[in-house]
Amino acid sequence: MSSSEDVSCSEEETITLQQAFLKFRKETSKDAFITEKKKLKKKKVSKKKKSRTALREDFIMQALSYLGVPYGKRFHEEGYCTCEGCIESQVQLREEPLFLDCCALIRRCVKDLKS
């Protein structure tokens, strides 16, 4: 009984050496293509991460260059201002040429990085 089962299985699974080689070649070429595609994808991601990191660092450095710029003119009294910024710097900040709130700071940094 087992010998007849072996014969029937071997008859169904019989393929030529050439067919087996073609099947093997097709499978390995697909695997190689997928593997190569994954490697390329990883390289692209790492380049993107590097460029994003560099851009973040540039943005932060640009934002830090505006450290000390007053928030807004309307927050400084005419004459002698007694706000914390004016007292600390001992300068009347109302007369400063540039004022930046949070949104203006972001816009200014992006504009600076574009140019």
Side-chain angles (χ1 to χ4, degrees):
M1 188 152 106
S2 64
S3 62
S4 64
E5 287 177 9
D6 291 338
V7 172
S8 65
C9 289
S10 64
E11 288 174 3
E12 291 175 9
E13 296 176 14
T14 310
I15 56 173
T16 64
L17 181 59
Q18 187 175 12
Q19 290 171 334
F21 176 73
L22 289 174
K23 183 179 178 184
F24 168 77
R25 189 173 176 192
K26 187 183 261 186
E27 288 174 359
T28 55
S29 65
K30 281 182 185 178
D31 291 341
F33 177 75
I34 290 170
T35 305
E36 193 64 32
K37 195 171 182 179
K38 286 180 182 178
K39 285 180 184 176
L40 289 173
K41 201 173 195 179
K42 285 181 182 179
K43 285 182 183 178
K44 287 180 182 178
V45 169
S46 64
K47 285 181 183 178
K48 284 182 182 178
K49 284 183 181 179
K50 287 179 184 176
S51 65
R52 286 181 183 173
T53 302
L55 182 61
R56 283 186 188 111
E57 288 174 2
D58 291 345
F59 183 84
I60 290 170
M61 293 307 294
Q62 189 62 39
L64 287 173
S65 71
Y66 289 106
L67 196 62
V69 173
Y71 183 76
K73 192 171 191 170
R74 63 187 168 143
F75 297 107
H76 300 280
E77 302 166 9
E78 286 189 42
Y80 185 75
C81 182
T82 57
C83 74
E84 186 177 332
C86 292
I87 292 172
E88 282 182 15
S89 65
Q90 298 177 349
V91 175
Q92 290 300 305
L93 298 174
R94 184 171 176 80
E95 306 305 320
E96 290 290 313
L98 180 64
F99 293 91
L100 295 174
D101 63 356
C102 52
C103 295
L105 174 65
I106 301 298
R107 279 186 258 129
R108 187 73 171 229
C109 291
V110 170
K111 183 181 174 185
D112 291 346
L113 289 175
K114 282 183 179 179
S115 58

